[in-house]
Amino acid sequence: MPKTEDRVLVEALTTRPILDQIANKWSVLILTVLCTEPARFNAIKRRLDGITHKALTEALRRLERNGLVSRRVITSSPIAVEYSLTPLGHSLQEPFTALYGWATNHQSDIERAQLDYDRRRAVELAE
């Protein structure tokens, strides 16, 4: 393997834990919710239909630990917690927008590929 391929492989292996954190299903959706404005825990939970209290708590803690989200305690009655993107978190907005645009533009291509694959698999299994 040429040196540049070795370097790319090493870089891929070292960035994998970070990508696993950011590309997590809930992380992407939480960051998307927070892109426009800060939100309280329950507001995020309502926007993300299907996320459990535990999953949201764990994801927000990971995002905070990774420096993508900040947590602010609001000393009102009752006490509330608001989450917002940090500057580092905001830096993901452009790549997320590009990824969303790609997904939107290629959704029908993906669906067509899935149907073709399923048809081929059905034929292979029938043989």
Side-chain angles (χ1 to χ4, degrees):
M1 204 177 340
K3 292 281 184 199
T4 53
E5 288 180 20
D6 288 342
R7 187 174 45 79
V8 169
L9 182 59
V10 168
E11 289 173 0
L13 291 173
T14 58
T15 58
R16 181 177 173 206
I18 297 166
L19 292 173
D20 285 346
Q21 295 285 324
I22 296 168
N24 171 284
K25 171 176 106 173
W26 293 121
S27 295
V28 170
L29 294 172
I30 291 166
L31 292 170
T32 301
V33 167
L34 296 176
C35 271
T36 54
E37 63 185 357
R40 293 182 180 192
F41 183 93
N42 286 328
I44 299 169
K45 190 169 183 317
R46 279 191 299 275
R47 296 266 316 267
L48 300 179
D49 187 35
I51 192 168
T52 65
H53 187 92
K54 181 182 176 190
L56 180 56
T57 299
E58 289 172 354
L60 286 166
R61 284 184 185 152
R62 270 193 318 273
L63 292 168
E64 184 179 8
R65 181 173 183 262
N66 290 322
L68 302 173
V69 168
S70 64
R71 178 181 185 271
R72 181 173 73 99
V73 176
I74 301 168
T75 56
S76 59
S77 182
I79 292 177
V81 177
E82 181 180 75
Y83 295 90
S84 60
L85 291 183
T86 63
L88 183 60
H90 273 291
S91 71
L92 284 170
Q93 192 165 3
E94 186 178 331
F96 278 2
T97 300
L99 183 59
Y100 177 79
W102 181 90
T104 301
N105 290 335
H106 295 284
Q107 182 176 356
S108 61
D109 298 328
I110 299 291
E111 290 169 355
R112 193 169 29 261
Q114 290 170 344
L115 289 171
D116 290 346
Y117 175 87
D118 292 344
R119 279 190 215 110
R120 286 193 315 272
R121 285 291 288 158
V123 169
E124 289 171 6
L125 294 173
E127 293 176 343

